Amino acid sequence: MEQTGVRRLRRRSRWLAGCVASAMAVLGVGAGTASATAPRGASAPVGVGDAGAAASGAAAVTGRAADILSAPTLVAHTAEGEIGYREVGEGSPIVLVMGYGGSMDTWAPAFVDSLAAQHTVVVFDNAGVGQTTDLPAPLTVPAMADQTSALISALRLHRPAVLGWSLGGMVAQALAVRHPGQVSQLVLAATQAGTGASLPIPPAAAAALNSPNPAVVLSVLFPADQAAAARAYGQGILQYPDFYQASAAVKTAQNAALAQWMAGDDPAGRAVGRIRVPVLVADGRSDALDPTANDVLLAHSLRRARLVLYPDAGHAFLFQDAAEFVPTVERFLDR
């Protein structure tokens, strides 16, 4: 039995090494292949009516996780199906909404832990990813926002701050439009307005984002001269046990939802001017997926928005420049 466990650990180590090598190929640090696995097992489900009590009971028994890497995956039973989530930190709540193709494991651990120093951070999987229930087809951004709202209700978070990255930023906007009483502040990172006026995602960048090679994906998230930041991000996310991402089918559905939002075909997207809460809009000036003009347009479409752009940073600026971005978020939330 012990020898079998050792063999499994060795296979796991070889797999992680292969993923890191592949992701670093674009940085000139070797090459390899990548893979993805199913999510780690979930704990006992949390029901709609007893979410707070169950979470408090778990904390009393096991103690709050010291960091996001050790946080267990929980499952909340909500009005919009089961939702896999993790929770770390203490303080006012902030919900992180993941972007296209990602999972909870796509958040850089150091970024989450920095926010958790002052907040209860909740990360979760979007529809059809990990332990989270699929939504009826066709998937839309407003439907994803409704599912996010259901999680906020189930966990009794009341009016958390919400940070959305990329597609997650679109979901965050729709959440604030459709469920304004559930959001206190918005942080919109590397995302677009749903008014139909945003510049399209460059086709070459979109193709790179969908590459099966992690090295190519990293090359579109970070500028070419930010090899150290890309390497740190790649190594960081691969520390998650049983790292996983969205399936090809989910990515196809998300892509259609994203396109509908950007075309201005979602009423919630056209109504972003109704958002009344304070909004921080942020991006890297060298974002290959989201031209800076879109950030300016988004900020101008909102009533109470502040725009911050980071030089020599791309779509993953929030991880590359976390040392500056997290304090900016803290100051914004403390206003």
Side-chain angles (χ1 to χ4, degrees), residues 139-168:
L139 183 68
T140 66
V141 168
M144 296 172 72
D146 290 347
Q147 192 173 56
T148 304
S149 168
L151 177 65
I152 291 172
S153 295
L155 299 185
R156 299 177 184 176
L157 298 178
H158 304 297
R159 298 185 70 232
V162 177
L163 184 156
W165 177 37
S166 196
L167 171 61

Side-chain angles (χ1 to χ4, degrees), residues 5 43 49 55 70 133 137-138 142 151 178 189 207 215 218-219 235 242 249 252 268 286 293:
S43 69
S70 60
T133 301
L151 177 65
R178 294 169 66 87
L218 283 178
S219 73
Q235 292 174 338
D242 302 321
T252 297
S286 301

Side-chain angles (χ1 to χ4, degrees), residues 48-93:
V48 174
D50 61 341
S56 298
V61 172
T62 64
R64 185 64 58 83
D67 53 51
I68 194 61
L69 290 175
S70 60
T73 296
L74 307 173
V75 175
H77 287 310
T78 80
E80 296 291 336
E82 294 186 345
I83 300 176
Y85 73 99
R86 299 178 195 140
E87 191 175 66
V88 66
E90 299 285 350
S92 60

Side-chain angles (χ1 to χ4, degrees), residues 37 54 61 94 107 166 196 208 221 240 242 251 262 303 314 316 328 335:
T37 68
V61 172
I94 181 168
W107 292 109
S166 196
L221 295 179
Y240 286 105
D242 302 321
K251 290 174 69 174
M262 290 189 63
R303 296 187 180 192
T328 298
R335 291 192 313 179

Side-chain angles (χ1 to χ4, degrees), residues 6-329:
V6 170
R7 285 196 295 270
R8 286 175 178 170
L9 285 172
R10 287 173 176 169
R11 286 197 297 270
R12 170 69 177 163
S13 298
R14 286 195 295 269
W15 176 80
L16 283 172
C19 287
V20 172
S22 179
M24 296 309 115
V26 71
L27 310 175
V29 193
T33 57
S35 180
T37 68
R40 72 182 85 171
S43 69
V46 176
V48 174
D50 61 341
S56 298
V61 172
T62 64
R64 185 64 58 83
D67 53 51
I68 194 61
L69 290 175
S70 60
T73 296
L74 307 173
V75 175
H77 287 310
T78 80
E80 296 291 336
E82 294 186 345
I83 300 176
Y85 73 99
R86 299 178 195 140
E87 191 175 66
V88 66
E90 299 285 350
S92 60
I94 181 168
V95 176
L96 308 190
V97 190
M98 178 43 63
Y100 172 78
S103 73
M104 291 186 280
D105 287 2
T106 312
W107 292 109
F111 174 75
V112 177
D113 290 343
S114 293
L115 289 172
Q118 298 188 47
H119 300 278
T120 297
V121 180
V122 177
V123 298
F124 69 99
D125 279 332
N126 287 318
V129 181
Q131 304 287 339
T132 300
T133 301
D134 264 313
L135 291 171
L139 183 68
T140 66
V141 168
M144 296 172 72
D146 290 347
Q147 192 173 56
T148 304
S149 168
L151 177 65
I152 291 172
S153 295
L155 299 185
R156 299 177 184 176
L157 298 178
H158 304 297
R159 298 185 70 232
V162 177
L163 184 156
W165 177 37
S166 196
L167 171 61
M170 301 174 192
V171 174
Q173 293 171 64
L175 175 68
V177 170
R178 294 169 66 87
H179 306 277
Q182 288 189 310
V183 179
S184 62
Q185 294 154 296
L186 283 180
V187 180
L188 304 178
T191 193
Q192 296 95 340
T195 59
S198 296
L199 295 175
I201 298 172
L209 189 64
N210 283 301
S211 171
N213 185 344
V216 176
V217 175
L218 283 178
S219 73
V220 80
L221 295 179
F222 295 86
D225 63 347
Q226 292 295 331
R231 181 166 53 250
Y233 174 71
Q235 292 174 338
I237 62 175
L238 289 175
Q239 293 179 62
Y240 286 105
D242 302 321
F243 175 80
Y244 67 102
Q245 293 182 295
S247 67
V250 168
K251 290 174 69 174
T252 297
Q254 288 184 350
N255 190 57
L258 185 155
Q260 179 173 315
W261 175 268
M262 290 189 63
D265 292 338
D266 285 323
R270 299 194 300 272
V272 292
R274 288 167 30 197
I275 296 175
R276 296 182 178 273
V277 299
V279 184
L280 175 64
V281 178
D283 203 350
R285 287 188 177 275
S286 301
D287 190 339
L289 291 159
D290 187 22
T292 300
N294 286 347
D295 303 306
V296 176
L297 172 66
L298 176 58
H300 286 171
S301 301
L302 298 161
R303 296 187 180 192
R304 304 173 62 187
R306 175 193 174 197
L307 175 62
V308 179
L309 297 172
Y310 292 84
D312 196 23
H315 203 64
F317 78 93
L318 61 172
F319 310 129
Q320 175 186 319
D321 290 321
E324 296 177 34
F325 180 58
V326 170
T328 298
V329 171

